[in-house]
Amino acid sequence: MLKLGRKRAERLEFGAFTLPILICVIAVFYYPFIMTIRYSLTKWNGISKHPKFVGFDNFQQIFMGDANFTNAAWFTVKYAILYIVLVNVLAILLALVLDMKLKSTNWLRAAFFIPYILSLVIVGFIWKFIFMQGFESLGESTGWGIFQLSWLGKPGLAFISVLLVSLWQSIGFYLVIYIAGLQSVPDDLKEAATVDGAGPVRRFFNITLPLLAPSITISVFMALTNSIKVFDVILSLTAGGPGGTTYSVAYDIYRDTFQNNLYGYGTAKALILFVAVLIITVIQLTIFKRREVEA
């Protein structure tokens, strides 16, 4: 009887602690997700009380006749590939330098991490001022042609500007992950490789890089999800210009939903983005986890 009473008390205690959390999760995530599926099948302006059910017409229009969504998807794919490669390569190189016993190591780590604390919206406005007015002043004083280019006025340069600003703001986050990974590499292995005659490059590719596999998995996962959902830096830096050439999928969803009042149509796009992110991240994590085991 005492054991049964204790079990009941433990169950009640467990339920008392978990029930509020379950309610919050359902209210914040599952219910909005179900409503997203519902509204994606409707034609709704966000105001009327009775959305018109249209079935899969929104999805058919997105995949068959929406040039803006196609261009935004292509922009997002290009941006994601370049961002993932560059941010991880640069973060690993910087981590190798900052993992050395330098006097200014702590100051340099802080300097690279501080931009990550700032919001990307604020960073976008800061760099917009730099590109438009700061570069103009530098061009007049130095005469260098690179400062006289229209960094936000030409499609190719605008894409590079968005990419560079994103890298500058976020590289400190990935740098911290890789520094933590490098510090977990045993010094005994490095010393043994040095005694065997392995040079710095060979030690890096044969010892350091394989042992960095968990850090690479986390960093690539974070870079992948963040790059596919890129929105705030575009909103503040280019606003999708020039001529809509820097529309990402997330910005295209925002424009259709909140600017054009196509809530049902925008919700359908948001659902497609969710499914795409889910599939890509599952595939990425599966592949990189297998490589971790092999390493």
Side-chain angles (χ1 to χ4, degrees):
M1 293 293 292
L2 290 173
K3 289 183 178 180
L4 291 173
R6 287 179 182 177
K7 288 182 178 180
R8 288 178 181 177
E10 289 176 358
R11 289 176 182 176
L12 289 173
E13 185 179 357
F14 179 78
F17 281 104
T18 56
L19 187 60
I21 298 173
L22 289 174
I23 293 172
C24 290
V25 170
I26 292 170
V28 173
F29 180 77
Y30 289 106
Y31 178 73
F33 181 71
I34 293 171
M35 295 302 295
T36 298
I37 297 175
R38 176 194 170 191
Y39 285 127
S40 68
L41 303 175
T42 64
K43 184 179 181 181
W44 186 43
N45 60 4
I47 301 174
S48 62
K49 293 183 179 180
H50 303 288
K52 181 182 178 182
F53 181 78
V54 294
F56 293 98
D57 288 354
N58 289 330
F59 296 96
Q60 184 177 358
Q61 185 177 348
I62 290 170
F63 289 112
M64 300 299 293
D66 193 334
N68 289 330
F69 183 79
T70 302
N71 294 332
W74 177 236
F75 171 89
T76 305
V77 169
K78 291 190 298 181
Y79 173 87
I81 293 173
L82 289 173
Y83 178 82
I84 293 167
V85 173
L86 290 175
V87 79
N88 282 281
V89 171
L90 293 174
I92 290 175
L93 293 176
L94 288 172
L96 290 171
V97 175
L98 297 181
D99 191 48
M100 300 176 182
K101 306 301 181 181
L102 303 175
K103 293 182 179 179
S104 58
T105 296
N106 293 332
W107 291 101
L108 289 173
R109 290 179 183 179
F112 281 110
F113 189 76
I114 285 174
Y116 181 73
I117 300 173
L118 302 175
S119 168
L120 258 176
V121 175
I122 298 173
V123 170
F125 283 121
I126 292 172
W127 275 96
K128 186 175 183 179
F129 173 81
I130 293 173
F131 282 128
M132 296 182 67
Q133 299 185 32
F135 275 21
E136 183 180 353
S137 300
L138 287 172
E140 292 175 355
S141 59
T142 62
W144 292 359
I146 191 172
F147 295 121
Q148 297 173 357
L149 297 174
S150 180
W151 284 91
L152 302 180
K154 294 183 179 180
L157 292 176
F159 174 82
I160 294 173
S161 300
V162 172
L163 182 62
L164 290 178
V165 172
S166 300
L167 291 171
W168 177 84
Q169 188 269 347
S170 61
I171 196 169
F173 172 76
Y174 302 97
L175 178 63
V176 170
I177 294 175
Y178 283 121
I179 288 176
L182 288 173
Q183 291 177 348
S184 65
V185 177
D187 292 331
D188 297 341
L189 291 177
K190 298 179 182 178
E191 293 173 359
T194 303
V195 171
D196 290 340
V201 176
R202 189 173 180 182
R203 286 201 305 270
F204 172 75
F205 283 103
N206 292 346
I207 296 175
T208 305
L209 192 60
L211 293 176
L212 276 179
S215 300
I216 294 174
T217 300
I218 296 171
S219 296
V220 172
F221 168 74
M222 295 299 298
L224 177 64
T225 54
N226 291 334
S227 59
I228 293 176
K229 298 183 295 182
V230 60
F231 167 75
D232 33 15
V233 66
I234 295 174
L235 177 67
S236 57
L237 185 63
T238 65
T245 55
T246 56
Y247 282 161
S248 65
V249 173
Y251 189 86
D252 187 52
I253 293 170
Y254 162 80
R255 189 177 62 88
D256 277 342
T257 306
F258 298 105
Q259 293 182 351
N260 300 333
N261 291 330
L262 301 173
Y263 279 76
Y265 192 64
T267 303
K269 289 185 176 181
L271 189 60
I272 292 172
L273 178 62
F274 170 80
V275 173
V277 173
L278 179 64
I279 293 172
I280 293 171
T281 50
V282 168
I283 293 172
Q284 180 261 321
L285 288 175
T286 303
I287 294 173
F288 275 72
K289 284 294 182 181
R290 287 177 182 173
R291 292 188 176 182
E292 282 184 32
V293 174
E294 291 175 2

